[in-house]
Every structure is written in C-alpha cells, then in structure tokens.
Amino acid sequence: MTHAFVSVRELTKEYPVVTGFLGKKATLTAVSDISFDIGEGKTFGLVGESGSGKTTTARMILGAEPATSGSVKIDGKPLMNEKGRVDPVLRRMMQPVLQDPYTSLSPRMCVGHIIDEPLRTQKLLSGERALAQRVSELLDMVGLPQDAARRYPNELSGGQRQRVAIARAIAPKPRFLVLDEPVSALDVSIQAQILNLLKDLQSEFKLTYLLISHDLSVVSFMSDAIGVMYLGRFMEIGPKDEVLRRSSHPYTMILKSAASTDEGAALPISGEIPSPLSPPSGCPFHTRCPFSQQICATTQPELEAGPAGQFSACHFAKDIRAGKPAGTCATLATGAMGR
Amino acid sequence: MVDETGERPRHVDVPVATGVTDTSVAVKAGQRSTFWLKKLQVGFALCVVLVVIVACALSDVLAPYDPIAISLGATLQPPSAEHWLGTDQLGRDILSRIMKGGQVSLLVAFTAVFLAGVIGGLVGVIAGYVGGVFDAVAMRLADVQFALPAVILALVLVGAVGSSLFNLVIVLSLANWARFARVLRSETLSLRERGFVELAKLSDASTTRIVLRHILPNVMSTFIVLATLDIGIIIILEATLSFLGLGVQPPYPSWGTMIADGRAFLEQAWWISIFPGVVLILTVLSGNILGDAARDRLSPTLSTKW
Ligand SMILES: Nc1ncnc2c1ncn2[C@@H]1O[C@H](COP(=O)(O)OP(=O)(O)OP(=O)(O)O)[C@@H](O)[C@H]1O
Ligand SMILES: [Mg+2]
C-alpha cells in the first residue's frame, strides 16, 4: 500500500452566519468531520451536489481557510505550524486550479506573467531570462504555442485559459494539485482534452490530485478513490470500483442513475438539497432518500466499513450490499444495482 | 455595482458587460439615428476639447492681444474684426482673456482631478483591500465630503487657508476625492474575491504586489472614466469659486472671474460675460460627453450616478 501523502482527519468547518430580519446568529456547518487519505501519485475524487462543502474542504486543505477543527497532514507534516500559519514548505508543495478560468486569470496580465507569478513571489527562480525559459517549457508541457506568453487571457478560449491555469499551477514544481471543478466551465469536447492533459502531467511528475467535481463521470474517469459528499459529510467513501460498481449508499446510487444515459433506470429523488443551516435530524439524506425508514429520521448513521475497503454511512448498507434493500423500494434499488 | 454597504460577499458575480454591444450589434432602424447622433456628439465633443486645449495651452503664442494689457482707448468694444469677441471695461481683448483664462482654469482643473484621483483612488483601493479601521475611517470622511456641498466645503477651506492658485488646487482636490474613493473601493471589494487574487495570495504574494499588479491595473479603466467625468465638475467648481472671488486672483483672468466681472455691464456689453460662459459650458459639456463615451467603452457597468 502506498503511504498516505495527504492525510485529512476529522476536518470540520463552521461559519457563523446572521440570518433573517432580526439578525439571529446561527452556525452553518459547511464541512463536518471529514477524514480521508490520498496516496502519493493518486487521485482522490470528491463528488457531491452544489453546496455540499467540496470547495470549503479544498480551501481548508490549501490553508486558504482555517479549519474549525480537525487536522491536515501533507507528506507526514502538519499543514499548520505552531503559530497557526501554513507551513511555507508545504504551501510550495501544493497548488490550486480553480473552476472558472475566466476569473482565475487577471485580465490585465499577460500569460507569461500569470504563469511565472508563483516563481517570482516564492523566489524559486530569478532573472528574466531564466523565468522566460521556464515559461516556455511550461507552455510546451500544457500544449500551448510559444507566442501565448505575450497574449492576454481575453485572447484565449476557455480551454486555453485552463491550460494557462494548469501551467501556472505546475510552475513551482508542486507535488500536490487541488483541482476544484477544473473542467465544469468548459465544453464537453474540451473537458476530455484537459482531463487527459491532467492525467499525462500526473504520470510524468508523479503528482497527487484532489479532484473536485459534481460530475460523477469526470470523477470516475480520473480517480483512484472517491468520496461522495452530502451536506458536508461523507455518505460513502472508498476505492473507485467499490464505490461505483458496488455502491452501498442510496445517494451514490442516485448520483449514478442521474449520470447514466439510461432514462428508465433513473431513481426518484425528491426536492432540493436541504439548507445546511438547518440540516435534517438523523441521516442528513433521509428527507430525499427513496428507501428512508423510521430510524433514518432519528439516528445518524456512522461511516461503517464494508468488506472491500469502502465505508458507507447508511443504516442499511449491509442490506444494500446483500442485494435486499429495506422497505418498499426494493425493486427500484435492485434495478439500480444491477448496473 | 456601486456597493456602499461595506459587505464583503465571498462569491461575487462578475458583472456582465451589457451595453457595449448595443452599439456594435446591428441596431434596429429606430435606434440607428440615435447611434449616429451619438457618434456625431462624440466627434463634436472631441473637436471642442481639442480646440480649447490647444488654444489655451498655446495662448501665449496664439492670443491676438496681451490678455492683461489695459487699453483705455478701446473699452467695451463690441465684437468686431479687430476684437473678435469684443473688449471689456478696461479695453482688454476678450478672446485673449478667454484663452489665458482657460489656461489657468484647465491647469487648475487637470491638476486637481489628478490629485483628487490619486488620493481618492489610493484611499479607495486600500480601504477596499485592507478593510478594518482604515476602511471605516476613510468611508466616514468620504461621507463628510459627500454631505457638505462642494461649494460650501471649498468656501470654508479657502476661508481657512486663504486664496492662492496652490490652495485652490488643494481645495478642489479635497472637495472631489471621495467619489474616486467610493467607486474604486467597491471595485476593489469585488476584485479581491476573484480567483486571481486568491491564487496570488496562495502563492505568498505580498499585499503590495497584489495591490500593484492585480488590483490597480484592473481598476484603471474605471479610474480613467471617473477622471474624465470629474474634469467638468471641477471646472465648474473652479469657476464658481473664482466667480465668488475666492479662486484665481486679478489681474489674471479665469473663466469664473471673467463672468463675474462682466455682470455689471450685462446691459451695455453682454459679450464680456456671455462668451466666457459659452466657452465654459461647451467645454464642460464636451468633457461629459467624452466621459460617457469612455464609460461605454471601458467600464459599461459603472453607473454615472453616485
Ligand atoms: N464564507 C462563507 N460564509 C458562510 N457560508 C459559507 C461560506 N463559504 C461557504 N459557505 C456555505 O458552505 C456550504 C458549502 O459551500 P461550498 O462552496 O464548499 O460548496 P461546494 O460543494 O463547493 O458547492 P459548489 O458545487 O456550488 O461549488 C454552502 O452552503 C455555502 O453557502
Ligand atoms: Mg465549489
């Protein structure tokens, strides 16, 4: 087994928020008690609907946002040093790629300067000639023409912009990339190119990825392991094949059926994602779960280990695995599991 | 877009550039005429501004007469071939005085806009980016400047420090910095939530670097628009102060003092006041047209009202 390069333990983020006319104070739990490991050179895919806390998790791992509680270790070292600051060595080791290549590149900076910014600010390379040399290497690596260095972002297409963002991210030779929805702003045809580029770079430089997406097909294409998030919690987490082929949580099954093109097999899902300000009692998913039972509304299920390294937070995970989901929706569930 | 509530939303929508395309995309037949009218206006404004600037800047060479030379043999002459715009009660050539006066007025206005823009712009950008006590204090000061009508503020200030050309520039800047501060602060507030600022921070970029390399270049177009629109306001304010005797001091002319001087002779010699007034209005109007055009071009989401 590869040792855990990134190790996240019981990470929680609570935001104090003010609600309503009267300015009542409340606590919004964006991420709750999340733990996972990423092996060196591996990809961990974080999937979930909008508002499930994916970006918040990424920001805490990057040290862009302090965690309310819990810890992050990278390469065995704690992310935060004793002074409560991000360890400078670790910060240099990881780089983010953001979702929207239209706001993540300054419109008034030419591509060359966008790419070499981390090299300048972290003083990794000095001298205009050396910087230009490195920029030209990086442009090659991400498949952009050399003359792109003097262009401005508005002269580039979405896909090209995201290549610039990737070149910038790998410029300081990081070992860990946090990819927050790296392709969701792009056309489907371009998505595949960018994902393949990311895969190539990963194998060339032995990069470790945390990949965030609401798109199960993107996550399944890229990842070695997958965590399915809902309202700030993991519903199911484990090796990719286990989570996708032998899902043991209704939410994963619903995401899968929503992603599949096979119309008739779609599982029913009712309503909107509940507000994280007033999460449901018991299992956070019970309000929308087609298999919901009495116990689901009262008792919150813990993540429990299945047979093949996957964990599922469902009272009926065992039954689902055994192919006999509880209650009246049995036929529906077996239908979905057949795939 | 102008956000004055002091809130710092985490996710800020990027303003969609509407309006710019209105002129480039094929317009309906009814709108076509207004489109040409606009083009014509801008062309006209550009001509007026260029002529005024050149005539005033080179007034020492181009002016037909010495603007302060008294000629008691030719007082209160109406416009004629010799004196195109007539002469005043002391026989001084109005055209030459308008040119010289414009030199003073424009110099004062440009310097004041520059100072107000730099001070207000920096205050706004720093307040928006750094926030905290600096932001709170700066915005309360801006409120004070907004609450007091510019003329009254300027009157008080001139009364306190006395009137000289230098003081006039300072006073005009102090009466006009707040608009820059507010608008650029709100632009900065939205910029600082953008991805590239976040990325720069995560690459250990210093605050100075972020402000200089990421914020300032991105507020520049708004700054230019504001400055263009402000020129007209400051010219008027300068004329008002000079009209009240608190601005440019005699014998040097300025448009404001010339209008004031001519008041006593409005019935016999209307040209003393009217011509500088017309030039003043034309210049300010043209400045505003250019400011609006610059806004449509550079920063279409910026509201002209503040
Ligand atoms: N600074 C903040 N203050 C208060 N609430 C916040 C803040 N940031 C995020 N949240 C809330 O935390 C929850 C999780 O947000 P997050 O951005 O992590 O979701 P996400 O899974 O990335 O969603 P998306 O797919 O829309 O990006 C949301 O309900 C959001 O409103
Ligand atoms: Mg997100």
Side-chain angles (χ1 to χ4, degrees):
Chain A
M1 204 196 141
T2 40
H3 86 144
F5 183 65
V6 178
S7 168
V8 174
R9 288 292 169 272
E10 285 143 34
L11 207 55
T12 298
K13 181 72 194 184
E14 290 171 352
Y15 289 111
V17 289
V18 180
T19 55
F21 274 136
L22 305 171
K24 242 176 57 189
K25 291 207 178 77
T27 308
L28 185 154
T29 308
V31 173
S32 174
D33 194 18
I34 275 194
S35 304
F36 60 91
D37 288 338
I38 314 178
E40 176 141 35
K42 301 286 183 203
T43 301
F44 183 83
L46 209 52
V47 67
E49 280 170 282
S50 184
S52 53
K54 307 180 299 290
T55 299
T56 309
T57 307
R59 288 173 56 83
M60 287 191 286
I61 292 173
L62 286 164
E65 190 121 44
T68 309
S69 64
S71 70
V72 177
K73 275 190 186 163
I74 292 171
D75 207 18
K77 272 189 285 180
L79 176 69
M80 297 288 179
N81 60 22
E82 308 81 50
K83 285 179 235 146
R85 287 170 170 265
V86 179
D87 186 304
V89 179
L90 294 184
R91 169 158 279 177
R92 251 151 250 199
M93 219 182 262
M94 54 186 176
Q95 285 290 325
V97 173
L98 305 182
Q99 166 171 7
D100 187 351
Y102 290 86
T103 60
S104 63
L105 310 180
S106 172
R108 302 265 178 236
M109 226 186 221
C110 70
V111 166
H113 282 137
I114 291 174
I115 294 177
D116 72 23
E117 177 170 57
L119 300 173
R120 288 174 193 268
T121 54
Q122 302 186 331
K123 303 195 173 58
L124 300 175
L125 208 58
S126 57
E128 293 303 315
R129 172 120 22 108
L131 285 165
Q133 176 65 32
R134 178 79 179 133
V135 167
S136 120
E137 280 168 32
L138 289 161
L139 288 174
D140 261 348
M141 283 180 207
V142 299
L144 284 171
Q146 290 297 320
D147 67 355
R150 279 185 307 278
R151 305 259 201 89
Y152 283 83
N154 66 347
E155 301 170 50
L156 305 177
S157 70
Q160 288 174 319
R161 284 169 185 240
Q162 204 59 309
R163 286 175 196 268
V164 173
I166 292 169
R168 181 195 198 279
I170 60 173
K173 303 190 176 151
R175 294 171 64 193
F176 176 40
L177 290 192
V178 175
L179 309 160
D180 188 356
E181 310 251 15
V183 295
S184 47
L186 307 176
D187 283 354
V188 182
S189 56
I190 314 267
Q191 287 191 357
Q193 295 174 10
I194 298 291
L195 292 178
N196 281 321
L197 171 66
L198 286 169
K199 274 201 158 177
D200 293 346
L201 293 171
Q202 178 168 41
S203 58
E204 194 175 343
F205 300 110
K206 228 172 163 251
L207 294 168
T208 305
Y209 286 168
L210 171 64
L211 173 76
I212 293 176
S213 181
H214 60 263
D215 186 341
L216 203 60
S217 58
V218 169
V219 168
S220 90
F221 177 68
M222 296 288 290
S223 309
D224 301 296
I226 292 181
V228 180
M229 273 184 100
Y230 186 77
L231 281 180
R233 294 175 177 278
F234 275 141
M235 296 293 102
E236 184 164 14
I237 172 173
K240 172 173 85 176
D241 287 341
E242 295 304 315
V243 172
L244 292 183
R245 296 241 181 88
R246 285 176 286 280
S247 316
S248 53
H249 196 289
Y251 184 55
T252 319
M253 292 171 6
I254 285 169
L255 283 184
K256 261 174 23 183
S257 74
S260 87
T261 43
D262 188 359
E263 288 249 339
L267 276 174
I269 182 153
S270 48
E272 286 288 303
I273 187 165
S275 159
L277 268 175
S278 50
S281 61
C283 171
F285 187 56
H286 87 266
T287 52
R288 297 166 81 196
C289 179
F291 316 126
S292 175
Q293 303 287 307
Q294 222 153 29
I295 182 174
C296 301
T298 54
T299 315
Q300 182 166 323
E302 296 294 323
L303 272 174
E304 280 192 38
Q310 111 224 57
F311 292 77
S312 166
C314 177
H315 292 298
F316 302 102
K318 271 205 195 76
D319 295 341
I320 297 176
R321 262 182 232 122
K324 46 164 188 175
T328 50
C329 293
T331 43
L332 268 174
T334 37
M337 292 211 329
R339 257 173 294 127
Chain B
M1 226 200 117
V2 183
D3 160 32
E4 291 164 4
T5 56
E7 281 170 14
R8 293 158 185 279
R10 214 191 98 191
H11 301 285
V12 178
D13 291 322
V14 189
V16 184
T18 52
V20 250
T21 44
D22 288 357
T23 47
S24 51
V25 171
V27 254
K28 279 186 243 130
Q31 290 171 322
R32 199 174 292 268
S33 57
T34 56
F35 169 66
W36 281 112
L37 208 68
K38 233 182 182 167
K39 281 226 139 171
L40 215 71
Q41 265 183 15
V42 172
F44 170 76
L46 214 58
C47 290
V48 170
V49 166
L50 279 180
V51 167
V52 168
I53 287 180
V54 169
C56 294
L58 301 180
S59 78
D60 295 339
V61 191
L62 294 181
Y65 296 88
D66 179 352
I68 54 174
I70 296 169
S71 157
L72 294 175
T75 57
L76 300 178
Q77 300 272 310
S80 66
E82 254 159 283
H83 297 281
W84 289 0
L85 302 181
T87 64
D88 67 4
Q89 71 278 17
L90 297 176
R92 296 173 297 194
D93 181 54
I94 299 287
L95 176 60
S96 306
R97 283 179 71 74
I98 289 179
M99 286 163 78
K100 184 69 187 173
Q103 193 177 30
V104 179
S105 290
L106 290 186
L107 196 68
V108 167
F110 279 118
T111 322
V113 167
F114 179 78
L115 271 184
V118 169
I119 295 170
L122 280 181
V123 166
V125 167
I126 294 173
Y129 191 78
V130 179
V133 181
F134 183 87
D135 185 23
V137 172
M139 285 308 109
R140 292 303 77 74
L141 285 178
D143 286 343
V144 170
Q145 196 241 272
F146 273 112
L148 285 174
V151 181
I152 295 184
L153 187 64
L155 277 175
V156 172
L157 287 170
V158 171
V161 296
S163 61
S164 72
L165 225 50
F166 177 78
N167 286 350
L168 184 63
V169 168
I170 300 294
V171 163
L172 290 172
S173 316
L174 285 181
N176 278 282
W177 65 277
R179 192 165 28 243
F180 287 92
R182 276 218 186 154
V183 177
L184 294 192
R185 171 179 175 273
S186 79
E187 289 256 299
T188 306
L189 279 180
S190 88
L191 281 170
R192 54 172 261 156
E193 305 298 332
R194 298 272 279 277
F196 53 85
V197 174
E198 185 91 33
L199 287 177
K201 275 195 217 156
L202 287 175
S203 310
D204 299 326
S206 64
T207 303
T208 323
R209 182 187 162 90
I210 294 177
V211 168
L212 289 181
R213 300 290 316 241
H214 292 288
I215 308 284
L216 284 186
N218 283 298
V219 298
M220 212 54 212
S221 52
T222 304
F223 177 85
I224 291 170
V225 172
L226 283 181
T228 322
L229 289 169
D230 215 36
I231 285 271
I233 298 175
I234 291 207
I235 291 178
I236 298 251
L237 190 55
E238 185 273 329
T240 311
L241 288 182
S242 297
F243 181 89
L244 296 173
L246 295 168
V248 178
Q249 298 300 309
Y252 286 99
S254 91
W255 293 343
T257 45
M258 290 177 74
I259 297 171
D261 288 350
R263 271 180 313 166
F265 305 94
L266 260 184
E267 275 169 31
Q268 314 105 287
W270 52 269
W271 52 89
I272 305 180
S273 286
I274 298 297
F275 284 126
V278 168
V279 173
L280 175 75
I281 290 169
L282 276 181
T283 310
V284 171
L285 211 62
S286 303
N288 286 348
I289 291 173
L290 291 186
D292 279 338
R295 189 203 52 212
D296 289 349
R297 258 276 156 91
L298 298 174
S299 179
T301 49
L302 187 72
S303 156
T304 349
K305 302 183 191 74
W306 20 61

